[in-house]
Each structure stands twice: as C-alpha cells, then as structure tokens.
Amino acid sequence: MAFRDTRIARRLIAPLVAAGMAMSLASCAARPASDDAAAGGSQSASTGSVAVFTPSDGVTLSGDTPLNKWTKFVPELTAALKKAGVAKKRIETTSSDSLDKQSRDVQDFVVDRVSATSSGDAAATTIVIAPVTSPDDTVRQYGDYVDQQVGSSSDGTSGTSDDQTLQDAESRLRSALTLARENGMHVVMLAGSLDGFRPDVYVRMSTAEEIGRVQATKMVDKLDLEKASTDNPKNIEVLLACTPASGDDGNAEACADGDGAAFAAETFRGAWSVLQPYFKSGQAVSPSGTLDKDTGSDDWRSVAFSSAEDDDVAAQLRERLSMDGKGKPQTHTRIDGVIAMNDHTAALVAKELGELGYTGSAADINPSITISGIVENITGKKDLQRDKVPDPIKAPEEQAGTTDADGQKAADEANSRWPIITGYGAYVDSMPLIVSGQQWMTALEDRAALAQDTATVCVKLNAGETVSRNTLSFVSPGKVDGVNVPTVSEDLVAVSASNLKTALIDPGYITPADAGL
C-alpha cells in the first residue's frame, strides 16, 4: 500500500487500528526479554523488526569527506542489529534526499505495517529515523550527525513554495510517526528532532556546544593553560565561520539570522565555557582583541565571520594576525592556538599559516615528540610520552629586551612557531595533517558505540522492556522539544597523532593509507 496522504490513510485503516493495537500490545506482553538477547544473544521472536530511515549523505562544499556519514552509520547499525538477533529479512533501510520524500517513505511503511498487523502478520516493530534537516553550507561542514531540528534552515527565505512543501512534509512525518506509536510501534530518533513529536528514545550524536567544548578542553590541556603566566600568556584565536545571507556584503552580522546562527552561537558557548576563566585571569589573550576578559558566553559575533569562499578564511586569519600575506613577512604575530571549529576551516588555516611563514608543527610544543615518533606510534612500534614543557615566566621579547639584536631574533623565531590547531569532523583529507602535526586534533562521534547502543535499544523496545538509566548505562534523562525522553549518548572521540591508530585505524574507520602512511 502506498497512501500519499495521512488523512486518507487514517480513514482507510481506521477499522484495523483497534485490532492492530490489541494484537501489538498482546505481542509485546507475550515476549519475555533478556539482557542476553539485547547484547547479541540467540535470535528470537522478541527481537522483532527494525526499519531505519536516514538522510542521503550531505556534501561539503570543499569535497572533503568527514567520517560521520550516514552511509557509514547504517551498515554498522545493521550489523549490530543482526548480532543482537534481529533477522536480516526484518531489517529495512531507506535513505531519502529530502524531508518530503522521507515523510512519504515513512508514511508508506507505517500504513503497510498497520495493515500487516491487522491481518495477523505481526511483529514488534521499531522505527529508527534520522530526520532530514536543512543545515546551511557551513553547518554541513561539521558532518551529517550534528543535532538539528527538522525544518532548520539558514537561507532566510519565507513564504515560498519550498516553505509550504517543507511544512507539509513536517506535518506528514509527524502524523505518520504518531500513527505508528498509536499502533504499538516504537520510534527512535537519531541526531534530530521534530517539533510536536515525542519519540520513545532519542539518540544524541553531537551538539554544537559539545563540538566547541571538546576543542577548547583539548586546547587548554595541550597548552597547559593552568600553568601559564600572566606575564607570558598564551595567544589564542577562535575562528567561527558561518554562511553569509543572500546578498551579504561580507559583514559577520549576516550570520545573525536563521538556525546556522544558532548553531554558531552554541558552538562558541561550548568553547567559551572552557576558555573564559583563562581570559579573565589573563593567562590567555587574543592577538586580534576579538576576545578579552569581558567577553560573555553570548558574544559569539565577536569571533564570527562570513565565509562564502575558502579565501575568506585566509583573509580572516591574516586580519587577526595583522599580516597582509604579501611575500614573506618581516615579523610574525605570536599565535599559540587556533580553534578552527571544523576540519575544513582547520585545513585552510594550516595552509595560510604556511604561506605566512610560520614553521614547525604541533609536535614542537613538546620536544620529546618527533614526527618520526608519531609515525612509529601510529604503526604500533612506539608509545609517546607527553610531558609538559614549562613556559618561561616572561615572554621572549621581555627577557631579551627589544634593543638586543640576538634577543629580537629569538623573539621573532618564537613568534613564528606553529600553533596548536583544532578541528572537528575527522575528515579523511585531514589525516595527513594530523600525522604531520600541522593540525593538532580533530574529533568525531563514537559511531560504532552509537550503532551498538541503538541496536540494543531497538531489541529492548521490541521485547517490551523499559529503556532507562536503570537498565542501560548509556541512557540518561534528556529532553526533546522540551519533553522528557530517555536519551542515548556517548562521549565524543578526540583524535590526535598519539591515539590516531587506536581511535581510527584499529576500528577500521580509516586505513594507514588514508593517514598518509
């Protein structure tokens, strides 16, 4: 059956609903569940059926490829479901390139399942859905799993036929999922929410706040800001690229409208929650003056810039460092750390720093770590020891005096040293930068763990069990659209050269060749 309007579907299946619900509830009550089955035990009727609906993979403007893609997650989830005992023939996967198509696909599935239930061909069913959202071009650079609400858009349009199509699709999807729950099916939502609908379980992947916080945390640790002197503070810049509105003149205020702006604001809030104490104490400063002790958690516009082209990132970095980039500069502005927010921006920052004459790599921050040592660590031949290197109390130029030629040379050399650069997304193209030390770290979702968690939840729901923190360690109380919903979550995985092998190569996320080895 393929009814294209939920209201029509409701009228046609109304006589079947009551019987379907009774059979579904009886089915759930008659299925004893066990942790063994949920953890991958023998196949049984209690494992039921699972239908997975995900967006078609998004495409980044640069052509870079982040590891957090839906085409990577679905096979892992399918394998985890099979291991948990769900029969292959009872696992359906569907990808959609628009919310309109996804809503129709889900509606068709729900109507078919209700009909099957009423005819006696019943099996406990869980729908796993990652709603198709509309991230703008910059948000898309963080990968496919970022938390977004259905209908989120930053294009600034309103009152168009596209808007009406989107509203119709939202309504259709909401009605279809509500109909599913009314008939005993369960709904697990991945990395996205739908206004006015409460799922049985929500699987949170990465939020904008978490993305900012993990980078700032690793920056603080690597630069050892706790021990930084106010007489020799660390110089840190936060680059927050956002998509310009149509007709934008390059002003960062153009990023102030839409959900893309909300994402940027949350990303900054996460980073600033970690960095703010060090700027207040004077242990960290911003060479450009975009951040200071008075900066608040809502002042994201101070570091935001409109990024329509790759050259915009380079221009912004040159402006922050007061360098025009024309030929080899005579002097450099000291920069110890750059939070680039995503790997696309991080790669452009690394490229521009090279053109501006900055030298070395992140490994230079700790002389006990060499590039050859990094390679040996990745290939499993050597462990890295990361002892902190204490900074002098005074900055190099203050120790030597500006009139001392040798001292000035030492200061210039110190100022041109390569900074710590952080990103997010674990782009395959960025792996060689991680190995070489040009980019210090990236981060990504723990895709394998999230797939396993989701499979466990599906089996428990199909078996009629409660999903809560009391029964599963990876579940915690959470809210979706302001309503309490059991929430699955895993910590983000931070990756640098020291753990790239164990975090990405050993699990099979990338190959040694991807890392340039």
Side-chain angles (χ1 to χ4, degrees):
M1 298 175 68
F3 299 114
R4 292 300 184 182
D5 189 285
T6 303
R7 290 170 296 179
I8 297 175
R10 282 179 179 274
R11 288 199 299 270
L12 291 174
I13 65 175
L16 308 176
V17 170
M21 288 183 65
M23 292 179 65
S24 178
L25 292 173
S27 176
C28 288
R31 292 185 176 97
S34 68
D35 287 338
D36 290 340
S42 60
Q43 183 173 311
S44 67
S46 65
T47 56
S49 299
V50 178
V52 183
F53 296 89
T54 57
S56 302
D57 281 347
V59 178
T60 56
L61 291 180
S62 65
D64 295 339
T65 306
L67 294 181
N68 46 350
K69 307 290 285 183
W70 290 119
T71 51
K72 299 291 187 181
F73 181 80
V74 173
E76 291 215 42
L77 175 57
T78 300
L81 287 168
K82 292 178 182 177
K83 185 177 180 181
V86 181
K88 180 179 180 181
K89 66 180 180 180
R90 292 194 177 278
I91 302 172
E92 298 184 34
T93 62
T94 305
S95 63
S96 311
D97 59 5
S98 69
L99 186 66
D100 182 61
K101 183 177 185 305
Q102 186 181 59
S103 66
R104 296 179 188 277
D105 290 338
V106 172
Q107 178 180 274
D108 290 347
F109 173 83
V110 171
V111 171
D112 286 346
R113 290 304 303 160
V114 172
S115 298
T117 300
S118 64
S119 64
D121 183 18
T125 301
T126 295
I127 295 172
V128 178
I129 178 169
V132 176
T133 57
S134 305
D136 68 20
D137 292 334
T138 305
V139 173
R140 197 173 290 118
Q141 291 171 357
Y142 291 87
D144 289 348
Y145 303 162
V146 294
D147 182 75
Q148 290 265 279
Q149 188 172 38
V150 170
S152 299
S153 178
S154 301
D155 59 10
T157 60
S158 61
T160 66
S161 59
D162 287 344
D163 288 335
Q164 187 59 54
T165 299
L166 179 60
Q167 291 172 17
D168 291 344
E170 287 185 51
S171 178
R172 185 185 301 112
L173 182 60
R174 187 182 303 109
S175 296
L177 293 175
T178 299
L179 182 62
R181 292 197 70 194
E182 288 174 351
N183 283 272
M185 287 175 257
H186 307 283
V187 178
V188 175
M189 300 195 85
L190 306 174
S193 59
L194 176 63
D195 185 34
F197 178 77
R198 178 192 181 279
D200 293 276
V201 176
Y202 179 65
V203 179
R204 190 180 72 229
M205 291 191 165
S206 55
T207 66
E209 188 172 351
E210 289 171 328
I211 289 171
R213 186 167 56 246
V214 70
Q215 293 181 62
T217 299
K218 294 303 178 182
M219 178 75 73
V220 166
D221 180 62
K222 179 61 178 172
L223 294 180
D224 206 6
L225 283 183
E226 290 286 351
K227 298 179 181 178
S229 165
T230 55
D231 290 324
N232 185 20
K234 296 296 186 180
N235 287 15
I236 298 173
E237 289 291 330
V238 175
L239 296 181
L240 187 56
C242 58
T243 302
S246 178
D248 169 47
D249 60 0
N251 193 316
E253 286 298 323
C255 305
D257 298 322
D259 251 45
F263 190 92
E266 286 297 316
T267 307
F268 176 75
R269 187 173 292 114
W272 197 238
S273 68
V274 177
L275 294 176
Q276 186 177 34
Y278 302 101
F279 277 83
K280 275 190 172 295
S281 68
Q283 293 167 290
V285 296
S286 166
S288 65
T290 53
L291 299 169
D292 57 36
K293 63 183 180 62
D294 296 320
T295 301
S297 60
D298 294 327
D299 294 331
W300 64 274
R301 292 182 182 85
S302 64
V303 295
F305 63 98
S306 183
S307 177
E309 305 290 342
D310 288 352
D311 287 345
D312 294 335
V313 175
Q316 180 69 198
L317 186 63
R318 291 195 301 270
E319 180 180 337
R320 298 278 188 98
L321 299 178
S322 301
M323 300 171 72
D324 60 18
K326 297 177 181 179
K328 186 175 181 180
Q330 296 300 309
T331 60
H332 290 80
T333 297
R334 176 183 168 184
I335 180 70
D336 298 297
V338 178
I339 295 181
M341 293 301 184
N342 62 66
D343 283 2
H344 177 69
T345 302
L348 295 172
V349 167
K351 179 181 178 183
E352 184 61 21
L353 286 172
E355 293 182 358
L356 290 174
Y358 285 82
T359 60
S361 75
D364 295 336
I365 302 296
N366 187 334
S368 69
I369 301 173
T370 63
I371 297 302
S372 61
I374 290 173
V375 174
E376 289 178 348
N377 169 262
I378 291 173
T379 56
K381 297 179 180 178
K382 180 179 181 180
D383 291 329
L384 296 181
Q385 301 298 319
R386 296 193 164 278
D387 297 327
K388 300 291 185 184
V389 178
D391 269 358
I393 298 298
K394 298 286 187 179
E397 58 269 23
E398 295 179 15
Q399 296 180 71
T402 56
T403 58
D404 188 307
D406 289 337
Q408 187 60 53
K409 181 179 178 181
D412 289 342
E413 289 178 352
N415 288 343
S416 65
R417 289 174 183 168
W418 200 267
I420 298 299
I421 303 173
T422 70
Y424 182 85
Y427 279 42
V428 174
D429 290 353
S430 295
M431 293 303 112
L433 294 178
I434 299 289
V435 172
S436 69
Q438 288 186 295
Q439 180 177 335
W440 168 242
M441 63 79 66
T442 184
L444 73 162
E445 293 86 350
D446 192 341
R447 191 176 72 209
L450 287 168
Q452 180 60 58
D453 295 347
T454 304
T456 300
V457 164
C458 289
V459 171
K460 280 190 172 290
L461 289 173
N462 282 347
E465 293 189 25
T466 300
V467 173
S468 70
R469 181 168 53 185
N470 294 331
T471 58
L472 296 170
S473 62
F474 51 79
V475 174
S476 60
K479 288 185 180 294
V480 174
D481 197 25
V483 180
N484 292 328
V485 176
T487 300
V488 172
S489 63
E490 294 284 350
D491 292 337
L492 296 178
V493 179
V495 181
S496 62
S498 62
N499 71 335
L500 190 147
K501 179 179 182 295
T502 56
L504 299 183
I505 295 179
D506 290 348
Y509 287 166
I510 66 171
T511 66
D514 291 329
L517 301 175

